[in-house]
Amino acid sequence: MTNDRRVLLHQNKHALAASVAARFLTNMVDVLHQQEEANVVLTGGSVGIAVLAAVNESPARDTIDWSRVNFWWGDERWLPRTDPERNELQAREALLDHISVPPENIHAFGASDDAVEAGTDALDAAAARYTAELLGRAPNGAQYPRIDVMLLGVGPDGHIASLFPHRSGIREREASVVAVRDSPKPPAARLSLTRPVINSSDRVWLVLAGSDKASALGLALAGASRDEVPAAGIKGRYRTVFFVDNDAAAQVPESLIAPGY
């Protein structure tokens, strides 16, 4: 199978979320038919959480054996565990608390109120713990699991996960997880998967809606540098799909939009 990069256009945010949810459920059926378990990386943001809510509302939700699905996150805000701005909490409320997924299959990033050893930098320690958790689920010789679906949002500046333009995170080549201390959007402290992990995924699905994303999307598809527009440096092993609404697609050449969308 070769990599395929495409843009799928939807009328509005609601239609976008419903489409991604339906495709996700179908994909999980296919993946679990072919292998024992699946690894999915979730994203935050209004569209990412809307997708999870649409999965929860789908009549097909309970056709999936969720006990065979592992959930990870692309990034997390360094906040207390119960802070409503945490991607983990939003994902739990939208989907994870409503399905039969074992607690050990939910791989959340550390939180700022987790206990750490005295003298240990908490953010670095959390990055190290998540690195170890990824390694613990990896096949022999790998640093992280085989990821079946990587869901990503895209910021107005083109950032993905917590990898921002002109910051060191997007240039990281070795580490699986980075501690972010200089995020240009609050909170400044975050944890994020790196580009090597993201690009190791079989399928990368970038979901974005709104006119404020149009410039970043246009630049990413036009071949901007990953340092300038991090989304431009993202490419899954088999398939990379940009799920967008009409407003976000304002600067996408018609030739890049998949037929029928």
Side-chain angles (χ1 to χ4, degrees):
M1 187 182 295
T2 58
N3 185 282
D4 178 22
R5 200 178 199 199
R6 64 174 73 179
V7 178
L8 303 185
L9 181 61
H10 303 80
Q11 185 174 5
N12 52 46
K13 178 180 172 180
H14 177 77
L16 167 63
S19 175
V20 178
R23 185 174 289 246
F24 173 76
L25 288 164
T26 299
N27 187 262
M28 285 297 98
V29 170
D30 293 342
V31 168
L32 293 175
H33 179 71
Q34 298 169 12
Q35 57 197 53
E36 285 301 310
E37 65 175 19
N39 286 285
V40 174
V41 176
L42 303 179
T43 186
S46 62
V47 183
I49 299 304
V51 169
L52 298 185
V55 171
N56 184 51
E57 294 165 4
S58 171
R61 184 196 71 179
D62 294 332
T63 64
I64 306 300
D65 181 358
W66 297 108
S67 69
R68 296 166 58 198
V69 181
N70 287 281
F71 291 99
W72 307 82
W73 274 264
D75 73 324
E76 185 58 273
R77 298 171 175 91
W78 188 240
L79 296 168
R81 184 73 62 179
T82 57
D83 192 294
E85 292 299 310
R86 272 183 64 90
N87 294 334
E88 175 199 357
L89 184 61
Q90 293 177 17
R92 287 182 181 277
E93 292 175 345
L95 175 64
L96 301 181
D97 287 348
H98 307 282
I99 57 177
S100 299
V101 56
E104 61 269 23
N105 286 17
I106 299 176
H107 307 275
F109 277 106
S112 63
D113 56 346
D114 290 347
V116 296
E117 297 177 9
T120 301
D121 182 285
L123 193 61
D124 286 340
R129 285 197 300 272
Y130 211 67
T131 298
E133 192 163 358
L134 288 164
L135 181 61
R137 292 285 185 139
N140 290 337
Q143 291 179 262
Y144 26 82
R146 174 174 174 169
I147 298 167
D148 299 287
V149 177
M150 169 78 63
L151 286 167
L152 291 173
V154 179
D157 60 354
H159 82 265
I160 41 89
S162 282
L163 305 178
F164 294 92
H166 309 297
R167 298 294 202 276
S168 61
I170 190 60
R171 297 188 290 270
E172 177 61 49
R173 295 174 180 267
E174 302 297 331
S176 303
V177 181
V178 289
V180 178
R181 292 180 170 84
D182 58 353
S183 166
K185 58 181 293 188
R190 296 158 175 257
L191 294 158
S192 181
L193 299 185
T194 60
R195 198 173 65 90
V197 182
I198 294 170
N199 284 354
S200 77
S201 307
D202 286 356
R203 302 161 191 84
V204 175
W205 294 357
L206 300 101
V207 292
L208 54 162
S211 58
D212 61 331
K213 310 295 179 66
S215 177
L217 177 60
L219 289 168
L221 295 172
S225 74
R226 67 172 183 262
D227 191 62
E228 195 168 341
V229 183
I234 300 307
K235 189 176 185 181
R237 292 177 63 236
Y238 295 156
R239 182 159 294 170
T240 308
V241 183
F242 291 82
F243 295 89
V244 305
D245 71 353
N246 281 334
D247 290 338
Q251 298 184 32
V252 175
E254 190 172 341
S255 61
L256 294 181
I257 297 174
Y261 283 82

